[in-house]
Amino acid sequence: IQISVEEPVNAFQYYTIGMGVMFALSTAPALANRAFKEKEQHVFGRIMLSGTKPLTYLSSKMVSGTLITFVQLVILFTLSTLIFGTFSGRDSDFWINVFYTTGLYSLLVGSLTSILTSISLYANDNTTAGFFGSFVSVFAFLGGSFTPVEQFSESLKQVGNWTPNGATMTSYLQLLQGFNFQEVIPLMMRVIEMTVIFILLAVIIFPKRRLD
């Protein structure tokens, strides 16, 4: 039954969004890995000696993860539209809703960056960030970046919508199909809840002293 007021989502639109949210998710382990290298090179220790609060350092990682993700997705959507016409013909309301969705997803990736950084520095081991980086493809599959998972199982789709990238991708697709932002708020609330949980855990885990 056709319930959308828009044309069905085409493959170009689907995979632009799918690859976008997948590679954006890879930002978190990449930055966490960089933070661990800064600890090994005593950059973190020198920052602490300068009088900077430990949580300020953690906040900088979250902010950088958020901004990099946001800019990455904005460039992707903009160039894809200008060069290939992927999202051409959309009104201002659509782009405003995409802006909100992108901002919330960027904050989520930033919070993931912060918790991976906290775990790596606390455990003095970069295994967690590396494991999450290798696990991104699993999230990508569950979230539908590779193929619509509802073709396999409706329950698999429900599981995918509880992943960070899956909830965001479904929101993007619904916006493309003509839904307004209020109708994707339940999915975005999952993103917000995950963001808050990751931030709280990151603050609790992050070491509050200079590391050798």
Side-chain angles (χ1 to χ4, degrees):
I1 300 174
Q2 180 100 7
I3 61 173
S4 173
V5 297
E6 299 287 341
E7 293 294 325
V9 176
N10 60 46
F12 214 124
Q13 293 170 334
Y14 185 93
Y15 287 109
T16 297
I17 294 172
M19 295 299 104
V21 296
M22 180 184 73
F23 286 110
L25 202 61
S26 300
T27 302
L31 291 178
N33 181 65
R34 179 60 187 170
F36 184 77
K37 289 182 179 179
E38 290 174 350
K39 179 264 175 186
E40 286 187 319
Q41 297 167 355
H42 306 292
V43 174
F44 180 79
R46 291 195 293 270
I47 291 175
M48 294 302 99
L49 286 174
S50 70
T52 302
K53 295 181 179 180
L55 292 183
T56 301
Y57 176 84
L58 180 64
S59 299
S60 70
K61 294 303 177 184
M62 177 177 175
V63 171
S64 61
T66 300
L67 291 178
I68 289 174
T69 301
F70 186 81
V71 171
Q72 177 179 331
L73 290 173
V74 167
I75 291 175
L76 173 66
F77 294 154
T78 301
L79 292 182
S80 179
T81 300
L82 293 176
I83 298 174
F84 302 108
T86 308
F87 307 111
S88 60
R90 303 287 172 170
D91 57 22
S92 59
D93 289 339
F94 168 79
W95 288 110
I96 291 173
N97 293 336
V98 167
F99 177 85
Y100 291 152
T101 304
T102 303
L104 290 174
Y105 184 57
S106 299
L107 284 171
L108 175 55
V109 175
S111 68
L112 271 172
T113 302
S114 65
I115 191 171
L116 290 176
T117 298
S118 292
I119 294 173
S120 295
L121 295 184
Y122 181 82
N124 195 27
D125 191 346
N126 203 27
T127 303
T128 303
F131 175 77
F132 184 85
S134 63
F135 205 70
V136 167
S137 59
V138 177
F139 280 112
F141 171 74
L142 292 175
S145 291
F146 298 142
T147 185
V149 290
E150 62 267 22
Q151 294 181 354
F152 302 106
S153 168
E154 182 64 26
S155 59
L156 191 61
K157 175 185 177 182
Q158 297 303 321
V159 172
N161 282 341
W162 279 99
T163 62
N165 55 304
T168 305
M169 182 171 180
T170 301
S171 298
Y172 278 131
L173 294 175
Q174 289 184 353
L175 292 175
L176 273 172
Q177 292 174 318
F179 292 85
N180 56 44
F181 190 74
Q182 286 72 23
E183 292 173 297
V184 301
I185 283 180
L187 287 169
M188 285 292 96
M189 284 303 299
R190 297 180 186 182
V191 172
I192 294 172
E193 290 167 2
M194 284 186 277
T195 300
V196 173
I197 292 172
F198 291 153
I199 291 175
L200 291 176
L201 290 176
V203 171
I204 293 172
I205 296 172
F206 192 76
K208 308 302 188 295
R209 60 180 178 80
R210 180 173 64 86
L211 299 178
D212 295 327

